[in-house]
Amino acid sequence: MTTNPGERTIVQIIVRENNVEQALRALKKKMQREGTFREMKRRNHFEKPSEKRARQKAEAIRRARKLARKRAQREGLIAGPKPRQP
């Protein structure tokens, strides 16, 4: 989620045929994808600047490793993910 502090994004879910449960599932999935739950949890308590830097550095390392793993899988250097069994 690349939003600036103070910037608000509008999430819109359409309820079809009064199926509120399905709309709630869609809303939760969309909020999860956008990182809204993670953001709310993080803003619940004050985060010291040193903790913020450490978290951002860890997230960057995690992203870089994931990107390198995906690239290695595409190039055939390592095996891809195992297919799911039904």
Side-chain angles (χ1 to χ4, degrees), residues 12-31 33:
Q12 185 176 14
I13 301 293
I14 298 169
V15 180
R16 294 192 178 107
E17 299 175 11
N18 288 333
N19 195 346
V20 178
E21 288 80 19
Q22 184 179 11
L24 273 174
R25 278 197 306 270
L27 175 66
K28 286 180 182 178
K29 186 182 285 188
K30 190 175 271 194
M31 290 176 73
R33 242 183 282 125

Side-chain angles (χ1 to χ4, degrees), residues 18-70:
N18 288 333
N19 195 346
V20 178
E21 288 80 19
Q22 184 179 11
L24 273 174
R25 278 197 306 270
L27 175 66
K28 286 180 182 178
K29 186 182 285 188
K30 190 175 271 194
M31 290 176 73
Q32 182 76 32
R33 242 183 282 125
E34 292 179 358
T36 308
F37 290 125
R38 191 180 315 123
E39 184 80 17
M40 288 188 322
K41 189 175 180 182
R42 228 183 51 234
R43 288 177 184 237
N44 203 10
H45 300 287
F46 178 74
E47 185 177 28
K48 291 175 20 182
S50 60
E51 292 172 349
K52 184 176 181 179
R53 280 193 304 272
R55 177 183 50 78
Q56 288 176 339
K57 185 176 180 180
E59 287 174 357
I61 290 170
R62 203 173 301 119
R63 280 193 306 272
R65 283 183 181 159
K66 183 177 182 179
L67 185 65
R69 186 172 54 248
K70 294 275 187 183

Side-chain angles (χ1 to χ4, degrees), residues 67-85:
L67 185 65
R69 186 172 54 248
K70 294 275 187 183
R71 190 177 301 127
Q73 285 174 353
R74 272 196 308 269
E75 294 173 359
L77 299 175
I78 59 173
K82 295 181 182 177
R84 287 184 152 179
Q85 297 289 331

